[in-house]
Amino acid sequence: MTKSVNVCARTGRTGKSAARKKCAGGRKGSAKRKVKSAFLLAALVLFSAALIAKPEKYIAKCAEGIALWAQCVLPALFPFMVVCALLVNSGLAEKLSAPLSRAGGVFKLPASAGIAFLMSVSSGYPAGSRTVSQFYASGMCGKEACRKLACLCSTSGPLFLIGTVGVNMFSSPEDGAKLFAAHIAAVAAVGLAISLCGRKLNPGNRPALTEKGSDVLYESFYSSVSAALSAGAFIAFFYTAAAMIQDFYILYPVEKLLSVFAGEEVARAVCTGLVEMTGGCAALAKCGGPLAIPFAGFLVTFGGACVLLQQLSYLTKAGVRAAPFAAAKFAQGCLCFLILLLWQ
C-alpha cells in the first residue's frame, strides 16, 4: 500500500512538473508570437508611412521592380516552372526518380532527390522549393526528406545566371558561367553535407498521388502562372523596401562594415541585394571591381530576404523551419563567395 501511494505521489509530482513545463513553454511561445507580431506591425506601419510620405519616389521604384521582373526574371523562370509542374502532375517525376534512388541512398536522401535537384538547377528560384512542396503534397517525400531537399534544391537557373546576370548585367557570358558553376558547387556541397550528417531516411514513403487526365495541363499552367506572378509581387515589394532601407539607413552598420574592405559603392549594392537579390546584382555590375562577381555569387546563392521568403512560402508547408534553412543558405553563399574569390 505504501509503495502504491509513493508511486502515485511521484506520478502526481511528475504530472504537475510536466504541466508546469508545458505552461511555461506555452507562455514562452506566446511571448515570441507577440514579439513577431509587434515587429511585423511596426515594419508595415513604417513601410506605409514612407510610401505615403514620398509616393513619387517609391511608386517609381515599385515600377522599376516590376520591369526588372518582366525583363530579367520572368523569361528565365516561367517556361521551366511549367515543365516542372507537368512532370510532377503527370507522374513522370516519380518514374524518372526511380533510377536515381541508389545514388540518393548514398547521401541519405529520398529517391526523388535526384530529379528534384535537376529540376531546381534547370529552373531556378523559386521553382526548386515549389517542387519540394509539390513532392510533399503528392506523398513522394516526408517532412524529414523535405528538410534535406530544401537546402539542396534551392538554386538559381542557368538562364538567369548566365543570360540575365552574366550577359545583361556584367556583359560577360564567361562571368555568368563562372557564377553558375560556383553557385551549383556551393549549394551541392553544403546541401549534401547536411544530408550526410542527418539520419538515414526510411525508404518506405507512400506513393505519389498523381493527377491524370485533361486537368493536368490546365493545373500545371494555372499553378505556374500563379507562382510566376507571386514571384513578381515579391520582387516589386522588396525592390521598393530595399530603396526605403537605404534611405533610412537601416542596414548602415552592415554597410559600414563591408565598406572597410569592399568600398562604399559595393557595400551599398550588397546591402540592397540582402533585401532584393536581382537589384543588388544589377548594382554590383555597375560598380565593377574584383569583388563584384564574388559578392554577386554570394547574393545569388544566399538569396536575400525576397528570395528566402519566396522559398519559405512553399517550404513551410512541407515542415521546413525558417532559421535552419536561412543559416544553410548563408553558409552556401559564403562558400560561393570564397570559390569565386579564389577563381579570379
Side-chain angles (χ1 to χ4, degrees):
M1 179 69 72
T2 306
K3 284 184 179 180
S4 63
V5 171
N6 289 337
V7 170
C8 290
R10 284 197 300 271
T11 305
R13 285 196 296 273
T14 304
K16 287 179 181 178
S17 176
R20 281 197 295 271
K21 285 181 180 179
K22 188 175 181 180
C23 290
R27 284 195 295 269
K28 192 180 288 186
S30 178
K32 284 183 180 179
R33 284 194 294 271
K34 286 179 181 178
V35 170
K36 287 180 181 178
S37 298
F39 179 80
L40 179 60
L41 178 62
L44 292 174
V45 168
L46 289 172
F47 181 90
S48 302
L51 196 61
I52 292 169
K54 292 185 178 180
E56 68 287 345
K57 178 176 183 178
Y58 296 125
I59 288 175
K61 284 291 179 184
C62 186
E64 284 179 25
I66 293 171
L68 190 68
W69 165 75
Q71 295 169 9
C72 299
V73 179
L74 184 61
L77 179 69
F78 181 70
F80 286 109
M81 292 189 88
V82 174
V83 170
C84 288
L86 284 170
L87 284 170
V88 174
N89 291 338
S90 64
L92 286 172
E94 184 186 5
K95 294 176 183 177
L96 290 170
S97 65
L100 300 170
S101 59
R102 185 172 295 178
V106 173
F107 295 102
K108 300 181 182 179
L109 289 165
S112 54
I115 190 65
F117 180 67
L118 291 175
M119 290 163 76
S120 177
V121 168
S122 63
S123 307
Y125 300 126
S129 299
R130 180 168 168 260
T131 300
V132 173
S133 179
Q134 286 178 315
F135 279 6
Y136 175 74
S138 68
M140 289 179 70
C141 293
K143 284 187 177 181
E144 184 65 27
C146 287
R147 291 188 186 112
K148 290 185 174 186
L149 284 178
C151 299
L152 189 63
C153 302
S154 57
T155 65
S156 186
L159 281 181
F160 178 75
L161 274 174
I162 298 173
T164 301
V165 179
V167 176
N168 293 345
M169 294 180 184
F170 283 90
S171 301
S172 171
E174 291 81 12
D175 285 340
K178 277 185 181 181
L179 274 169
F180 182 67
H183 167 70
I184 297 302
V187 170
V190 175
L192 292 176
I194 291 171
S195 296
L196 286 170
C197 291
R199 63 184 178 85
K200 193 168 184 178
L201 297 171
N202 183 3
N205 287 332
R206 61 191 174 93
L209 304 174
T210 55
E211 298 179 38
K212 301 187 185 300
S214 59
D215 286 346
V216 169
L217 191 63
Y218 172 80
E219 288 296 332
S220 298
F221 272 89
Y222 180 82
S223 61
S224 299
V225 168
S226 176
L229 289 174
S230 177
F234 269 97
I235 290 172
F237 180 87
F238 282 97
Y239 192 89
T240 309
M244 291 180 182
I245 286 170
Q246 289 287 346
D247 290 346
F248 291 99
Y249 302 99
I250 293 173
L251 289 179
Y252 182 74
V254 179
E255 186 177 324
K256 198 68 178 175
L257 182 65
L258 287 172
S259 65
V260 173
F261 65 92
E264 290 185 5
E265 288 188 3
V266 171
R268 193 175 298 115
V270 172
C271 286
T272 298
L274 288 175
V275 182
E276 201 288 302
M277 176 266 291
T278 310
C281 288
L284 282 169
K286 291 178 182 177
C287 295
L291 291 177
I293 290 292
F295 271 121
F298 168 79
L299 290 179
V300 168
T301 308
F302 176 57
C306 179
V307 171
L308 283 173
L309 289 175
Q310 280 185 68
Q311 294 180 96
L312 286 168
S313 67
Y314 295 106
L315 294 174
T316 50
K317 299 171 187 174
V320 177
R321 290 176 293 174
F325 177 72
K329 293 306 300 172
F330 184 78
Q332 290 171 339
C334 291
L335 180 57
C336 185
F337 176 88
L338 288 174
I339 291 171
L340 290 166
L341 193 64
L342 296 171
W343 202 349
Q344 295 280 18

mmCIF file of all heavy atoms in Angstrom, residues 200-229:
data_model
loop_
_atom_site.group_PDB
_atom_site.id
_atom_site.type_symbol
_atom_site.label_atom_id
_atom_site.label_comp_id
_atom_site.label_asym_id
_atom_site.label_seq_id
_atom_site.Cartn_x
_atom_site.Cartn_y
_atom_site.Cartn_z
ATOM 1 N N LYS A 200 19.532 8.427 -41.739
ATOM 2 C CA LYS A 200 19.087 7.814 -42.988
ATOM 3 C C LYS A 200 17.572 7.748 -43.011
ATOM 4 O O LYS A 200 16.937 7.416 -42.012
ATOM 5 C CB LYS A 200 19.675 6.414 -43.132
ATOM 6 C CG LYS A 200 19.510 5.833 -44.527
ATOM 7 C CD LYS A 200 20.358 4.596 -44.714
ATOM 8 C CE LYS A 200 20.253 4.100 -46.154
ATOM 9 N NZ LYS A 200 21.099 2.927 -46.399
ATOM 10 N N LEU A 201 17.005 8.070 -44.157
ATOM 11 C CA LEU A 201 15.551 8.127 -44.266
ATOM 12 C C LEU A 201 14.962 6.746 -44.496
ATOM 13 O O LEU A 201 15.576 5.874 -45.119
ATOM 14 C CB LEU A 201 15.153 9.047 -45.422
ATOM 15 C CG LEU A 201 15.583 10.511 -45.266
ATOM 16 C CD1 LEU A 201 15.339 11.252 -46.560
ATOM 17 C CD2 LEU A 201 14.848 11.168 -44.127
ATOM 18 N N ASN A 202 13.753 6.585 -44.017
ATOM 19 C CA ASN A 202 13.011 5.351 -44.258
ATOM 20 C C ASN A 202 12.551 5.328 -45.709
ATOM 21 O O ASN A 202 11.853 6.240 -46.152
ATOM 22 C CB ASN A 202 11.795 5.300 -43.315
ATOM 23 C CG ASN A 202 11.022 4.002 -43.475
ATOM 24 O OD1 ASN A 202 11.404 3.121 -44.238
ATOM 25 N ND2 ASN A 202 9.938 3.901 -42.737
ATOM 26 N N PRO A 203 12.960 4.345 -46.501
ATOM 27 C CA PRO A 203 12.595 4.330 -47.915
ATOM 28 C C PRO A 203 11.128 4.091 -48.173
ATOM 29 O O PRO A 203 10.644 4.274 -49.278
ATOM 30 C CB PRO A 203 13.442 3.186 -48.487
ATOM 31 C CG PRO A 203 13.645 2.264 -47.340
ATOM 32 C CD PRO A 203 13.715 3.139 -46.122
ATOM 33 N N GLY A 204 10.393 3.705 -47.154
ATOM 34 C CA GLY A 204 9.003 3.322 -47.370
ATOM 35 C C GLY A 204 8.035 4.478 -47.390
ATOM 36 O O GLY A 204 7.079 4.485 -46.615
ATOM 37 N N ASN A 205 8.274 5.493 -48.233
ATOM 38 C CA ASN A 205 7.316 6.588 -48.371
ATOM 39 C C ASN A 205 6.085 6.110 -49.132
ATOM 40 O O ASN A 205 6.167 5.241 -50.002
ATOM 41 C CB ASN A 205 7.950 7.757 -49.142
ATOM 42 C CG ASN A 205 8.964 8.494 -48.289
ATOM 43 O OD1 ASN A 205 8.856 8.510 -47.069
ATOM 44 N ND2 ASN A 205 9.956 9.086 -48.936
ATOM 45 N N ARG A 206 4.961 6.700 -48.822
ATOM 46 C CA ARG A 206 3.745 6.312 -49.545
ATOM 47 C C ARG A 206 3.827 6.783 -50.987
ATOM 48 O O ARG A 206 4.492 7.764 -51.294
ATOM 49 C CB ARG A 206 2.500 6.896 -48.854
ATOM 50 C CG ARG A 206 2.455 8.403 -48.784
ATOM 51 C CD ARG A 206 1.337 8.858 -47.861
ATOM 52 N NE ARG A 206 1.342 10.285 -47.649
ATOM 53 C CZ ARG A 206 0.652 11.147 -48.361
ATOM 54 N NH1 ARG A 206 -0.086 10.728 -49.356
ATOM 55 N NH2 ARG A 206 0.695 12.439 -48.094
ATOM 56 N N PRO A 207 3.167 6.156 -51.927
ATOM 57 C CA PRO A 207 3.285 6.510 -53.335
ATOM 58 C C PRO A 207 2.668 7.863 -53.640
ATOM 59 O O PRO A 207 1.808 8.341 -52.920
ATOM 60 C CB PRO A 207 2.509 5.383 -54.051
ATOM 61 C CG PRO A 207 1.544 4.888 -53.023
ATOM 62 C CD PRO A 207 2.246 5.022 -51.713
ATOM 63 N N ALA A 208 3.154 8.426 -54.724
ATOM 64 C CA ALA A 208 2.655 9.738 -55.113
ATOM 65 C C ALA A 208 1.225 9.638 -55.606
ATOM 66 O O ALA A 208 0.842 8.687 -56.274
ATOM 67 C CB ALA A 208 3.534 10.316 -56.223
ATOM 68 N N LEU A 209 0.447 10.660 -55.272
ATOM 69 C CA LEU A 209 -0.941 10.724 -55.733
ATOM 70 C C LEU A 209 -0.977 11.580 -56.992
ATOM 71 O O LEU A 209 -1.200 12.775 -56.952
ATOM 72 C CB LEU A 209 -1.816 11.339 -54.625
ATOM 73 C CG LEU A 209 -1.754 10.622 -53.274
ATOM 74 C CD1 LEU A 209 -2.545 11.401 -52.231
ATOM 75 C CD2 LEU A 209 -2.276 9.203 -53.384
ATOM 76 N N THR A 210 -0.685 10.992 -58.120
ATOM 77 C CA THR A 210 -0.551 11.740 -59.346
ATOM 78 C C THR A 210 -1.905 12.070 -59.942
ATOM 79 O O THR A 210 -2.879 11.341 -59.784
ATOM 80 C CB THR A 210 0.255 10.928 -60.383
ATOM 81 O OG1 THR A 210 -0.381 9.653 -60.547
ATOM 82 C CG2 THR A 210 1.677 10.698 -59.894
ATOM 83 N N GLU A 211 -1.925 13.187 -60.663
ATOM 84 C CA GLU A 211 -3.147 13.604 -61.341
ATOM 85 C C GLU A 211 -3.091 13.108 -62.773
ATOM 86 O O GLU A 211 -2.052 13.171 -63.422
ATOM 87 C CB GLU A 211 -3.257 15.136 -61.328
ATOM 88 C CG GLU A 211 -3.353 15.733 -59.939
ATOM 89 C CD GLU A 211 -3.431 17.241 -59.996
ATOM 90 O OE1 GLU A 211 -4.101 17.769 -60.914
ATOM 91 O OE2 GLU A 211 -2.832 17.903 -59.157
ATOM 92 N N LYS A 212 -4.215 12.658 -63.280
ATOM 93 C CA LYS A 212 -4.248 12.182 -64.652
ATOM 94 C C LYS A 212 -5.451 12.797 -65.358
ATOM 95 O O LYS A 212 -6.380 13.251 -64.726
ATOM 96 C CB LYS A 212 -4.328 10.650 -64.693
ATOM 97 C CG LYS A 212 -3.142 9.974 -63.982
ATOM 98 C CD LYS A 212 -3.184 8.490 -64.193
ATOM 99 C CE LYS A 212 -2.084 7.794 -63.394
ATOM 100 N NZ LYS A 212 -0.752 8.214 -63.745
ATOM 101 N N GLY A 213 -5.348 12.774 -66.704
ATOM 102 C CA GLY A 213 -6.463 13.287 -67.469
ATOM 103 C C GLY A 213 -6.212 14.691 -67.997
ATOM 104 O O GLY A 213 -5.116 15.223 -67.937
ATOM 105 N N SER A 214 -7.263 15.322 -68.492
ATOM 106 C CA SER A 214 -7.142 16.615 -69.156
ATOM 107 C C SER A 214 -6.822 17.748 -68.203
ATOM 108 O O SER A 214 -6.350 18.795 -68.609
ATOM 109 C CB SER A 214 -8.449 16.935 -69.895
ATOM 110 O OG SER A 214 -9.528 16.958 -68.971
ATOM 111 N N ASP A 215 -7.069 17.563 -66.874
ATOM 112 C CA ASP A 215 -6.813 18.635 -65.924
ATOM 113 C C ASP A 215 -5.332 18.861 -65.670
ATOM 114 O O ASP A 215 -4.958 19.897 -65.129
ATOM 115 C CB ASP A 215 -7.495 18.324 -64.583
ATOM 116 C CG ASP A 215 -8.998 18.521 -64.643
ATOM 117 O OD1 ASP A 215 -9.450 19.147 -65.621
ATOM 118 O OD2 ASP A 215 -9.700 18.019 -63.752
ATOM 119 N N VAL A 216 -4.481 17.910 -66.023
ATOM 120 C CA VAL A 216 -3.043 18.040 -65.758
ATOM 121 C C VAL A 216 -2.476 19.280 -66.448
ATOM 122 O O VAL A 216 -1.753 20.071 -65.842
ATOM 123 C CB VAL A 216 -2.287 16.772 -66.213
ATOM 124 C CG1 VAL A 216 -0.781 17.005 -66.183
ATOM 125 C CG2 VAL A 216 -2.654 15.601 -65.324
ATOM 126 N N LEU A 217 -2.791 19.474 -67.712
ATOM 127 C CA LEU A 217 -2.272 20.614 -68.471
ATOM 128 C C LEU A 217 -2.779 21.928 -67.887
ATOM 129 O O LEU A 217 -2.000 22.864 -67.665
ATOM 130 C CB LEU A 217 -2.690 20.486 -69.941
ATOM 131 C CG LEU A 217 -2.023 21.457 -70.919
ATOM 132 C CD1 LEU A 217 -0.516 21.218 -70.964
ATOM 133 C CD2 LEU A 217 -2.625 21.304 -72.310
ATOM 134 N N TYR A 218 -4.086 21.996 -67.612
ATOM 135 C CA TYR A 218 -4.664 23.226 -67.057
ATOM 136 C C TYR A 218 -4.064 23.545 -65.693
ATOM 137 O O TYR A 218 -3.637 24.675 -65.449
ATOM 138 C CB TYR A 218 -6.189 23.084 -66.943
ATOM 139 C CG TYR A 218 -6.831 24.237 -66.205
ATOM 140 C CD1 TYR A 218 -7.083 25.442 -66.852
ATOM 141 C CD2 TYR A 218 -7.168 24.115 -64.849
ATOM 142 C CE1 TYR A 218 -7.649 26.501 -66.165
ATOM 143 C CE2 TYR A 218 -7.734 25.166 -64.163
ATOM 144 C CZ TYR A 218 -7.975 26.364 -64.824
ATOM 145 O OH TYR A 218 -8.532 27.408 -64.142
ATOM 146 N N GLU A 219 -4.016 22.555 -64.814
ATOM 147 C CA GLU A 219 -3.495 22.769 -63.465
ATOM 148 C C GLU A 219 -2.035 23.181 -63.492
ATOM 149 O O GLU A 219 -1.590 24.028 -62.706
ATOM 150 C CB GLU A 219 -3.664 21.500 -62.617
ATOM 151 C CG GLU A 219 -5.092 21.208 -62.218
ATOM 152 C CD GLU A 219 -5.678 22.290 -61.317
ATOM 153 O OE1 GLU A 219 -4.902 22.942 -60.586
ATOM 154 O OE2 GLU A 219 -6.899 22.492 -61.357
ATOM 155 N N SER A 220 -1.268 22.593 -64.405
ATOM 156 C CA SER A 220 0.159 22.910 -64.492
ATOM 157 C C SER A 220 0.373 24.350 -64.927
ATOM 158 O O SER A 220 1.190 25.072 -64.344
ATOM 159 C CB SER A 220 0.848 21.953 -65.466
ATOM 160 O OG SER A 220 0.742 20.619 -65.021
ATOM 161 N N PHE A 221 -0.374 24.787 -65.953
ATOM 162 C CA PHE A 221 -0.218 26.170 -66.426
ATOM 163 C C PHE A 221 -0.782 27.165 -65.423
ATOM 164 O O PHE A 221 -0.183 28.214 -65.169
ATOM 165 C CB PHE A 221 -0.896 26.351 -67.789
ATOM 166 C CG PHE A 221 -0.007 26.033 -68.944
ATOM 167 C CD1 PHE A 221 0.067 24.745 -69.450
ATOM 168 C CD2 PHE A 221 0.771 27.014 -69.520
ATOM 169 C CE1 PHE A 221 0.906 24.444 -70.503
ATOM 170 C CE2 PHE A 221 1.618 26.730 -70.584
ATOM 171 C CZ PHE A 221 1.687 25.431 -71.080
ATOM 172 N N TYR A 222 -1.918 26.815 -64.826
ATOM 173 C CA TYR A 222 -2.541 27.729 -63.863
ATOM 174 C C TYR A 222 -1.631 27.950 -62.649
ATOM 175 O O TYR A 222 -1.403 29.078 -62.218
ATOM 176 C CB TYR A 222 -3.884 27.173 -63.406
ATOM 177 C CG TYR A 222 -4.606 28.056 -62.406
ATOM 178 C CD1 TYR A 222 -5.361 29.152 -62.834
ATOM 179 C CD2 TYR A 222 -4.511 27.792 -61.040
ATOM 180 C CE1 TYR A 222 -6.009 29.963 -61.919
ATOM 181 C CE2 TYR A 222 -5.163 28.600 -60.115
ATOM 182 C CZ TYR A 222 -5.911 29.687 -60.566
ATOM 183 O OH TYR A 222 -6.532 30.481 -59.644
ATOM 184 N N SER A 223 -1.099 26.867 -62.105
ATOM 185 C CA SER A 223 -0.224 26.981 -60.932
ATOM 186 C C SER A 223 1.080 27.680 -61.283
ATOM 187 O O SER A 223 1.631 28.423 -60.462
ATOM 188 C CB SER A 223 0.064 25.598 -60.345
ATOM 189 O OG SER A 223 0.717 24.774 -61.285
ATOM 190 N N SER A 224 1.586 27.491 -62.503
ATOM 191 C CA SER A 224 2.826 28.146 -62.923
ATOM 192 C C SER A 224 2.627 29.651 -63.101
ATOM 193 O O SER A 224 3.491 30.442 -62.713
ATOM 194 C CB SER A 224 3.338 27.528 -64.229
ATOM 195 O OG SER A 224 3.623 26.160 -64.054
ATOM 196 N N VAL A 225 1.497 30.035 -63.681
ATOM 197 C CA VAL A 225 1.192 31.469 -63.824
ATOM 198 C C VAL A 225 1.070 32.115 -62.452
ATOM 199 O O VAL A 225 1.607 33.198 -62.198
ATOM 200 C CB VAL A 225 -0.108 31.670 -64.639
ATOM 201 C CG1 VAL A 225 -0.583 33.116 -64.548
ATOM 202 C CG2 VAL A 225 0.116 31.291 -66.096
ATOM 203 N N SER A 226 0.366 31.436 -61.548
ATOM 204 C CA SER A 226 0.192 31.951 -60.197
ATOM 205 C C SER A 226 1.537 32.115 -59.495
ATOM 206 O O SER A 226 1.802 33.133 -58.841
ATOM 207 C CB SER A 226 -0.705 30.995 -59.405
ATOM 208 O OG SER A 226 -0.823 31.411 -58.060
ATOM 209 N N ALA A 227 2.419 31.114 -59.633
ATOM 210 C CA ALA A 227 3.738 31.170 -58.992
ATOM 211 C C ALA A 227 4.609 32.269 -59.590
ATOM 212 O O ALA A 227 5.326 32.973 -58.873
ATOM 213 C CB ALA A 227 4.436 29.821 -59.117
ATOM 214 N N ALA A 228 4.543 32.435 -60.924
ATOM 215 C CA ALA A 228 5.348 33.467 -61.586
ATOM 216 C C ALA A 228 4.878 34.871 -61.180
ATOM 217 O O ALA A 228 5.696 35.769 -60.931
ATOM 218 C CB ALA A 228 5.270 33.300 -63.102
ATOM 219 N N LEU A 229 3.559 35.065 -61.100
ATOM 220 C CA LEU A 229 3.025 36.361 -60.663
ATOM 221 C C LEU A 229 3.382 36.638 -59.203
ATOM 222 O O LEU A 229 3.687 37.772 -58.827
ATOM 223 C CB LEU A 229 1.507 36.390 -60.850
ATOM 224 C CG LEU A 229 1.001 36.464 -62.294
ATOM 225 C CD1 LEU A 229 -0.520 36.347 -62.334
ATOM 226 C CD2 LEU A 229 1.441 37.775 -62.957
#
